Amino acid sequence: MPATETKTEEPKTPAPGTGHQGQTFLVGDDVYIRAIEPGDSAYGQSWIRSILPRSTKRYEKWIKEEVAKAKRQATYIILRKTDDVAVGSITTRRWDPITQVTPWVDPLYGERGQRWLAQALGMAIPWLVDEQHRPIVTVLVAADQKAVSDQLNEIGAYETVRFREMLRAWGGRVDLVQFEYLNRHWVDRLGDPRQTPLERSGTGEPRPVPAPVTVDGEPPANAVKVGQRVYLRPIEKKDAAWIARWSRQETETFWDAGRWIYSTQGFAAHETDLQKKEPQTSVHFAVCLRENDELIGTMGLDGIDYVHGFAETGSAIARPEYRGGGYGSEAKHLLFDYAFNTLNLHALQSFVIFPNTRSAAALRKQGYKEAGRLHWDFASFGKFENFICFDLLASDWRQMPRADFPAVEKEFHP
Ligand SMILES: CC(C)(COP(=O)(O)OP(=O)(O)OC[C@H]1O[C@@H](n2cnc3c(N)ncnc32)[C@H](O)[C@@H]1OP(=O)(O)O)[C@@H](O)C(=O)NCCC(=O)NCCS
């Protein structure tokens, strides 16, 4: 603190180019990192990760209201040392044991900006892990951010997942790469998670895509996509009571971090909120049997990115007696038809915990390819458990062999 200020006064705005002086850490050769301050709204368009133009007033409000309220999330600004201009940001989201870092730099700075971002990450990640003792930090970067990837490799982070062609760039597509940085003290104690063997079940073989169904007569009420045995329709309020009831009758504990109990009101409110969002970034369907319209589960897309054309798929056949009989896979191909032919998405991703070998087998059977592993994502039986990541491109799916009916591979009587 300069000698002219006392502790009871507000610190004065530093003269341009002196903002980093006195800061004892997170200061590099060209950039430094600090928390957000009210005046940073002036450069909001530069450092806030948004492709939409917003006014300074809007950014001011965002800083005051949303940033202040954010839980388990922090945004740090990357500033240029020479003039204290905010050029980018690093956002951290924490769900123990993982801390996810989202880096951003104003694309207008081109290669210079990438170097600044690399420098900032080279300081921030070791600070979060080695000083703040987070067990693991993950960072997602586009594969063409070479300066950033080089810097991540240099500090000891490593590429762990590569989602093919997930991002649109310059009229083409680039891969989305996930890096991890492990805390060596946790590795000493728990072992290197990269050595954890992956159990498998199922054949691992992709199967032909079921042939499209032509509906004779009337399609099922409100159906969006119709298959041979199942169809997809929007989730209705009335479904919530069934989902809540079946969650209480769940018999399997291995496919998630233990069993969940849903409340009728909670499920209904959540699904209603998703349908109200503009643009709708989650689309969930009810999976119903054609023979009697019975609801057997839900399936959908989350985190839909309409700019880059990708989303994450998720499915849950709510009734154990219908699992392992191909209903989930049949419904999934209807979802692919929706994702690739209705929304025109380019790629899908999916995440499965290691113990859920059935879901991984089903994804392989449906045509997904393994994209890598995410380590130490949640706690399980005294250790941290890992995820396998999968991706599926629209072109993969279009090139898969198509089945002639009957699409049902084996007799299955729940
Ligand atoms: C995951 C799910 C949607 C898959 O749908 P499904 O209709 O059961 O899948 P399928 O029957 O088409 O394929 C299952 C595959 O797993 C294998 N499998 C079946 N039962 C299994 C079991 N109990 N344990 C391990 N593998 C099993 C099958 O052999 C098959 O693979 P293969 O045909 O290559 O041999 C469904 O099982 C489900 O809802 N499970 C509970 C919720 C869940 O795990 N959701 C996904 C979270 S990532």
Side-chain angles (χ1 to χ4, degrees):
M1 184 178 291
T4 49
E5 285 179 4
T6 69
K7 280 188 180 166
T8 50
E9 283 174 345
E10 291 263 318
K12 295 200 174 66
T13 307
T18 62
H20 63 284
Q21 287 175 11
Q23 183 165 326
T24 55
F25 63 110
L26 299 179
V27 181
D29 290 341
D30 306 301
V31 293
Y32 68 104
I33 301 168
R34 63 154 167 73
I36 299 176
E37 291 183 0
D40 292 328
S41 56
Y43 293 101
Q45 202 55 47
S46 216
W47 64 264
I48 294 174
R49 191 165 172 266
S50 168
I51 53 167
L52 298 174
R54 305 234 163 84
S55 68
T56 308
K57 266 258 161 318
R58 173 72 190 89
Y59 286 132
E60 230 168 69
K61 194 164 144 55
W62 178 77
I63 292 174
K64 259 196 215 138
E65 292 173 12
E66 291 166 51
V67 174
K69 272 193 241 148
K71 295 216 170 64
R72 307 184 77 79
Q73 180 170 321
T75 301
Y76 303 96
I77 313 261
I78 305 170
L79 297 109
R80 207 160 45 191
K81 273 168 80 177
T82 48
D83 51 10
D84 298 308
V85 165
V87 295
S89 60
I90 288 176
T91 303
T92 65
R93 270 183 211 87
R94 233 177 128 158
W95 64 90
D96 292 329
I98 220 159
T99 299
Q100 191 182 59
V101 165
T102 308
W104 172 255
V105 76
D106 187 340
L108 288 178
Y109 290 115
E111 274 184 30
R112 273 182 305 167
Q114 291 299 313
R115 284 201 304 277
W116 295 335
L117 186 58
Q119 200 178 99
L121 285 170
M123 296 187 284
I125 293 175
W127 167 62
L128 291 166
V129 171
D130 302 325
E131 187 173 329
Q132 297 206 329
H133 307 292
R134 316 271 173 97
I136 181 167
V137 158
T138 67
V139 196
L140 276 170
V141 296
D144 60 356
Q145 290 182 283
K146 183 146 181 342
V148 173
S149 305
D150 287 349
Q151 178 68 35
L152 290 171
N153 284 317
E154 202 178 310
I155 60 170
Y158 55 88
E159 176 180 325
T160 189
V161 188
R162 180 172 281 256
F163 292 111
R164 293 167 300 152
E165 299 181 18
M166 209 58 59
L167 304 175
R168 213 185 285 279
W170 303 103
R173 313 259 344 160
V174 291
D175 297 346
L176 179 64
V177 181
Q178 179 129 13
F179 281 83
E180 284 180 349
Y181 184 93
L182 288 168
N183 184 316
R184 64 185 186 285
H185 299 293
W186 285 83
V187 173
D188 286 348
R189 188 168 285 258
L190 298 177
D192 189 329
R194 289 170 288 180
Q195 309 302 327
T196 312
L198 175 70
E199 257 185 67
R200 285 167 186 262
S201 65
T203 61
E205 290 303 316
R207 305 298 206 295
V209 177
V213 166
T214 313
V215 181
D216 294 327
E218 284 303 298
N222 231 5
V224 175
K225 297 284 176 188
V226 181
Q228 197 190 6
R229 294 183 300 175
V230 295
Y231 66 91
L232 304 183
R233 63 152 172 80
I235 293 183
E236 305 286 345
K237 238 181 176 157
K238 63 176 188 216
D239 299 326
W242 288 106
I243 296 291
R245 178 182 301 182
W246 291 326
S247 76
R248 284 159 42 213
Q249 295 171 356
E250 180 59 66
T251 53
E252 297 179 341
T253 56
F254 70 90
W255 56 263
D256 204 338
R259 283 174 278 189
W260 298 96
I261 287 200
Y262 290 108
S263 88
T264 302
Q265 293 82 348
F267 182 87
H270 178 65
E271 293 298 328
T272 309
D273 281 353
L274 293 180
Q275 292 186 13
K276 274 193 219 150
K277 215 174 151 206
E278 278 300 337
Q280 199 175 316
T281 52
S282 287
V283 174
H284 292 175
F285 291 105
V287 179
C288 299
L289 295 179
R290 279 192 72 187
E291 61 181 25
N292 56 10
D293 296 317
E294 210 176 310
L295 172 77
I296 61 166
T298 58
M299 178 163 290
L301 303 170
D302 288 298
I304 303 173
D305 188 321
Y306 294 99
V307 172
H308 291 290
F310 73 84
E312 178 186 341
T313 54
S315 22
I317 298 299
R319 300 172 53 184
E321 67 271 28
Y322 285 101
R323 295 173 191 154
Y327 288 90
S329 291
E330 187 187 319
K332 187 60 90 56
H333 285 287
L334 298 177
L335 185 69
F336 294 156
D337 177 16
Y338 178 79
F340 297 138
N341 294 332
T342 306
L343 295 187
N344 284 311
L345 299 183
H346 183 86
L348 296 173
Q349 38 180 208
S350 189
F351 301 83
V352 182
I353 58 171
F354 269 31
N356 194 355
T357 63
R358 180 181 54 208
S359 176
L363 293 174
R364 291 193 175 94
K365 173 178 171 179
Q366 294 153 12
Y368 284 87
K369 306 240 163 60
E370 196 174 322
R373 316 261 164 105
L374 284 182
H375 300 105
W376 286 355
D377 237 83
F378 66 101
S380 162
F381 295 103
K383 58 185 182 351
F384 295 142
E385 193 54 89
N386 310 318
F387 273 83
I388 332 173
C389 309
F390 292 90
D391 65 13
L392 176 73
L393 302 181
S395 53
D396 294 343
W397 185 66
R398 294 194 202 287
Q399 281 158 24
M400 281 172 73
R402 256 56 191 167
D404 296 326
F405 278 131
V408 184
E409 292 155 17
K410 57 188 175 196
E411 282 295 311
F412 182 78
H413 302 287

